[in-house]
Amino acid sequence: GKRDRRIAVCFVDLDGFKVVNDTLGHQVGDQLLVSVAQRLRKAVGEHLVARLGGDEFVILMEDTTCTDDALKIADAALAAIATPARVDGHSLSVSASIGIVERPVEGTTATELMRAADITLHWAKSSGKGRWALFDPERNEREMTRYALSAAIPTALERGEFYLDYQPLVSLRSGALIGVEALARWRHPELGLLYPDRFISLAEETGLIVRLGGWVLAEACAQARRWLDVNPQAPYVSVNLAVRQVQDPGLVDDVTMLLRQTGLPPHQLQLEITESAIMSASDEPVHALRHLADLGVRVAIDDFGTGYSNLAYLRSLPVRELKVAGSFVSGLREPSDAASRTDERILAALVSLAHSLDLTVTAEGVETAHQADRLRAIGCEAGQGWHLGRPGPPEHIDALLTAAR
């Protein structure tokens, strides 16, 4: 009966069809579409094939017994489309991406089916083209949540839902507090407390990172100034800059204005950038960082040793410090462990490289006293991690400063 019936839809989109149109003209493009349509019709047997427009086709399969039925048809369609075609004296090869949805008829509407197939087609395209993807309700749910989160960032900024925690950066020689890293947190009204891994990449994708990052910078500078007012030995504050912020033409003016407004001395601010941010940068961001360094702002490379390392940039960039990624530090276990010895040698080499360039080194992810001892022995200046101090509100730093006086 109708209750048990199933249905499947395949959204088919040609990869690289635009290139054919642009290079050989629309006439050849149209003939290629006719050729693809004929091959599709042959490949899918009795199922309905229709062209939706442009280079998109849809295959409708009624009364499928299971998902496998749809996958077999999708494979046949991919193979048929990939066969080179003779069109107007040219031998043309195109591939296709296919989004597949197969489900019970009951409880679904045509609109939902088409929307799900369209979403799934995008998954196929983004995972490399020339393939099919199958609709996955859980993945769809995750992506919808991500989308909703991303759309909520501007309002959250206006409502003051973001705040900063600060994690101590500690001298490994003296144990003194020398800096703090500002870490963004989001008190979401429905989802509770969110950490940066839930929203920073979203903000980067949508470009909202420039606005969110600007807020973090302003908040951190104001807090650093408050500490300085209380204690002349106050720590510098370190703020992460995303790729888009580094590339933003207004960066130098924004930072200069913030320092002027807050009265924070430039050497009390450190900007952390990743290797990938530099590698993807053209000359302008490098000029901007140089300009800021000339003002006295500290520049540090974050997660050093994990990105695509082209050490030439260390020559041209006004870097003062390297922050070595926690993944190397976590490898420092017992001296008898061979992998641990390798990690220690890598760290020693990075520290020696930094020192030969007059840079200081902060190790991230220091979680045990043993790791702190090994890093100190290697010559690492500073450390950051749960063993040395967890991220917390400004009051935690107030307490450390009071204790140190």
Side-chain angles (χ1 to χ4, degrees):
K2 179 175 186 300
R3 183 153 287 167
D4 306 324
R5 288 184 64 192
R6 298 181 71 83
I7 191 168
V9 165
C10 290
F11 260 31
V12 182
D13 186 87
L14 302 187
D15 306 319
F17 176 71
K18 189 177 179 302
V19 177
V20 175
N21 254 350
D22 291 351
T23 52
L24 301 173
H26 287 273
Q27 200 178 341
V28 174
D30 289 351
Q31 286 173 281
L32 177 61
L33 287 175
V34 172
S35 158
V36 166
Q38 287 165 345
R39 282 178 278 156
L40 267 181
R41 188 178 290 152
K42 211 161 157 189
V44 304
E46 78 280 10
H47 302 297
L48 175 75
V49 181
R51 179 171 167 231
L52 284 180
D55 56 354
E56 284 194 351
F57 296 85
V58 64
I59 303 166
L60 175 69
M61 286 162 273
E62 296 185 86
D63 297 315
T64 47
T65 53
C66 61
T67 304
D68 269 358
D69 292 353
L71 301 188
K72 282 181 192 130
I73 290 294
D75 280 330
L78 286 177
I81 292 169
T83 313
R86 295 292 302 172
V87 177
D88 203 23
H90 303 279
S91 174
L92 299 179
S93 303
V94 281
S95 64
S97 301
I98 301 182
I100 307 167
V101 183
E102 195 275 342
R103 57 174 60 159
V105 171
E106 184 148 313
T108 195
T109 65
T111 310
E112 285 168 356
L113 205 57
M114 297 288 271
R115 213 182 94 242
D118 195 30
I119 289 166
T120 315
L121 172 63
H122 285 291
W123 296 349
K125 287 237 180 239
S126 63
S127 62
K129 304 182 179 171
R131 65 192 64 203
W132 52 255
L134 181 63
F135 184 74
D136 169 2
E138 285 175 12
R139 176 174 174 181
N140 186 49
E141 186 64 35
R142 279 197 307 275
E143 296 201 352
M144 296 293 277
T145 306
R146 271 173 67 81
Y147 178 76
L149 259 189
S150 142
I153 291 174
T155 318
L157 274 167
E158 281 158 26
R159 288 187 188 155
E161 290 172 11
F162 289 98
Y163 69 93
L164 295 182
D165 272 346
Y166 296 89
Q167 185 168 26
L169 304 173
V170 175
S171 162
L172 289 175
R173 293 200 190 111
S174 67
L177 175 70
I178 52 175
V180 292
E181 181 178 350
L183 300 163
R185 306 285 187 249
W186 184 354
R187 244 189 241 96
H188 193 283
E190 280 114 48
L191 301 171
L193 178 58
L194 303 180
Y195 291 97
D197 59 342
R198 287 288 300 276
F199 58 84
I200 291 293
S201 62
L202 279 182
E204 285 179 336
E205 283 165 27
T206 54
L208 287 164
I209 193 68
V210 174
R211 202 173 144 200
L212 177 59
W215 175 84
V216 170
L217 202 53
E219 187 68 18
C221 285
Q223 181 57 59
R225 180 69 242 187
R226 286 195 283 277
W227 283 321
L228 201 56
D229 288 338
V230 177
N231 186 336
Q233 300 301 301
Y236 64 82
V237 67
S238 196
V239 177
N240 292 283
L241 284 192
V243 179
R244 293 223 192 181
Q245 287 174 279
V246 178
Q247 292 169 346
D248 186 49
L251 178 68
V252 174
D253 289 344
D254 290 349
V255 173
T256 312
M257 191 177 75
L258 265 177
L259 294 173
R260 195 181 305 125
Q261 282 174 349
T262 54
L264 185 69
H267 65 268
Q268 292 290 108
L269 172 65
Q270 174 167 284
L271 299 175
E272 294 186 21
I273 46 179
T274 59
E275 287 175 301
S276 52
I278 300 155
M279 299 320 298
S280 66
S282 53
D283 289 345
E284 286 82 16
V286 175
H287 291 319
L289 292 170
R290 218 175 263 143
H291 197 107
L292 290 169
D294 289 343
L295 290 176
V297 173
R298 305 164 60 102
V299 177
I301 302 293
D302 194 17
D303 286 336
F304 184 73
T306 57
Y308 166 71
S309 293
N310 172 354
L311 297 175
Y313 72 75
L314 290 175
R315 275 205 322 255
S316 56
L317 264 188
V319 177
R320 184 181 293 197
E321 171 165 282
L322 300 183
K323 291 189 80 179
V324 176
S327 48
F328 292 116
V329 177
S330 63
L332 297 182
R333 288 176 291 272
E334 294 314 308
S336 57
D337 184 337
S340 174
R341 284 202 301 277
T342 304
D343 273 347
E344 188 160 332
R345 285 185 197 124
I346 291 172
L347 276 167
L350 290 177
V351 170
S352 144
L353 167 73
H355 289 171
S356 65
L357 295 168
D358 292 328
L359 307 175
T360 55
V361 181
T362 296
E364 299 177 309
V366 183
E367 294 186 356
T368 66
H370 171 73
Q371 288 169 345
D373 291 342
R374 298 310 311 142
L375 291 161
R376 194 179 297 113
I378 290 167
C380 208
E381 281 83 3
Q384 173 181 6
W386 281 34
H387 171 66
L388 302 166
R390 299 185 175 201
E395 296 77 56
H396 284 190
I397 305 298
D398 296 343
L400 291 174
L401 289 173
T402 309
R405 289 178 77 175

